[in-house]
């Protein structure tokens, strides 16, 4: 079913989607190089580093894990940080399930290829067939580029006396900022960002390395899960709706004038 609908796409459309996927893969590859070198400098072997990219395939979660280890955090803190970042994939999966409409035998491969990039490419398309093709091709290309560049970065990092000389130790921080940047355009996003940053700074002297990120992330998640406050309703209608329609709010007309003021206004005009 999936293959048949993909085949309905024009050849030019398929070629364009493949080019877009290659561009995304190249961009992700830069992070893969940094991750591979940083992971080796954090104490992981080349095999362990590659194992994470093949089976965990978490992108930012992997960077969080090795970043926490590099900062001196323990395995529990590193794993908790990576898990916290991976939670968003659950929401991606829920939103993509009706779009991809994959068979049971393809469900596991589709879940493994889930990433920020494949999700963004899929939801940006106008038709289901284009979304499915974009998801599979982007997911496959990004997975390939990420693993190849991870290996290259790990091998290069193992040959360097100190990968930090090249600035690779800040790769995880740069990746997090890149993920957060689009959210800072919204007021709510800026509020959560500042709150989480303040919490991380406040608890840093009190807890071990790596835990401030976990606590800040849990704080941000708690704030985002709070119910939103909606305008008070009267008789099933929002106050804002009544104001727009010239209705009364608490017995006072929306323009703020009472009956006496309106009468005086009419008398003065005549």
């Amino acid at each position: 079913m999936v293959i048949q609908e993909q085949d309905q796409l024009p050849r030019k459309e398929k070629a364009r989607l493949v080019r877009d996927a290659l561009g995304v893969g190249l961009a992700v590859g830069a992070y893969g190089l940094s991750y591979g070198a940083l992971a080796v400098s954090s104490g992981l072997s080349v095999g362990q580093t590659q194992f994470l990219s093949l089976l965990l395939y978490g992108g930012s979660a992997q960077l969080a894990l090795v970043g926490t280890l590099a900062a001196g955090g323990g395995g529990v803190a590193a794993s908790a940080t990576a898990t916290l970042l991976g939670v968003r994939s659950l929401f991606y999966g829920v939103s993509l399930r009706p779009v991809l409409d994959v068979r049971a035998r393809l469900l596991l491969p589709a879940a493994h290829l889930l990433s920020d990039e494949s999700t963004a490419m899929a939801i940006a398309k106008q038709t289901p067939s284009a979304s499915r093709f974009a998801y599979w091709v982007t997911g496959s290309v990004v997975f390939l580029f990420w693993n190849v560049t991870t290996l290259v970065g790990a091998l290069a990092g193992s040959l360097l006396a100190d990968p930090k000389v090249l600035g690779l130790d800040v790769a995880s921080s740069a990746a997090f900022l890149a993920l957060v940047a689009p959210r800072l355009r919204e007021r709510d996003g800026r509020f959560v960002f500042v709150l989480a940053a303040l919490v991380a700074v406040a608890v840093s002297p009190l807890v071990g390395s790596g835990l401030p990120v976990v606590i800040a992330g849990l704080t941000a998640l708690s704030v985002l899960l709070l119910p939103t406050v909606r305008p008070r309703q009267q008789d099933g209608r929002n106050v804002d709706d009544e104001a727009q329609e010239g209705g009364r709010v608490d017995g006072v007309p929306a323009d703020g004038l009472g009956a006496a003021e309106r009468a005086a206004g009419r008398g003065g005009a005549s």
Side-chain angles (χ1 to χ4, degrees):
M1 176 179 175
V2 174
I3 303 300
Q4 291 177 351
E5 291 195 7
Q6 288 177 355
D7 290 341
Q8 295 177 1
L9 287 175
R11 183 173 299 179
K12 290 184 178 180
E13 177 70 9
K14 288 184 177 181
R16 186 180 65 81
L17 291 175
V18 171
R19 287 196 302 270
D20 291 344
L22 289 173
V24 173
L26 288 173
V28 171
Y31 289 119
L33 290 171
S34 300
Y35 160 73
L38 183 61
V40 171
S41 70
S42 301
L44 299 181
S45 66
V46 174
Q48 291 171 330
T49 300
Q50 193 65 45
F51 178 83
L52 286 175
S53 283
L54 285 171
L55 294 186
L56 175 60
Y57 183 51
S60 59
Q62 291 177 238
L63 284 166
L65 188 146
V66 299
T68 303
L69 292 176
V76 174
S79 300
T81 304
T83 301
L84 188 63
L85 282 172
V87 168
R88 70 185 189 282
S89 295
L90 296 175
F91 300 99
Y92 289 167
V94 171
S95 61
L96 284 174
R97 181 65 185 271
V99 176
L100 298 180
D101 192 24
V102 296
R103 296 178 179 179
R105 61 185 178 85
L106 294 177
L107 192 57
L108 185 58
H112 195 58
L113 294 179
L114 184 66
S115 65
D116 296 327
E117 295 78 18
S118 59
T119 301
M121 290 286 285
I123 63 177
K125 306 309 171 188
Q126 300 298 322
T127 63
S129 57
S131 295
R132 280 187 274 270
F133 186 84
Y135 180 86
W136 285 106
V137 70
T138 304
S140 301
V141 168
V142 170
F143 180 79
L144 176 63
F145 275 66
W146 177 260
N147 279 277
V148 170
T149 55
T150 290
L151 180 59
V152 173
L155 292 174
S158 63
L159 299 177
L160 294 174
D162 186 8
K164 295 181 180 180
V165 174
L166 301 179
L168 297 178
D169 55 316
V170 300
S172 57
S173 300
F176 296 149
L177 288 177
L179 289 172
V180 169
R183 305 292 186 269
L184 299 182
R185 299 173 184 172
E186 303 173 358
R187 184 179 62 179
D188 293 343
R190 291 193 295 270
F191 171 76
V192 173
F193 175 78
V194 172
L195 177 62
L198 291 175
V199 169
V201 172
V203 301
S204 291
L206 307 176
V207 298
S209 178
L211 290 178
V213 177
V214 178
I215 297 173
L218 291 174
T219 302
L221 184 61
S222 301
V223 173
L224 292 174
L225 291 178
L226 290 176
T228 56
V229 179
R230 296 181 178 180
R232 181 169 53 85
Q233 292 186 346
Q234 296 179 349
D235 299 329
R237 301 177 65 191
N238 288 339
V239 173
D240 290 345
D241 294 339
E242 292 185 356
Q244 292 177 358
E245 296 174 4
R248 292 175 175 266
V249 180
D250 292 336
V252 179
D255 56 7
L257 297 178
E261 289 83 351
R262 290 180 182 275
R266 286 196 297 269
S270 58

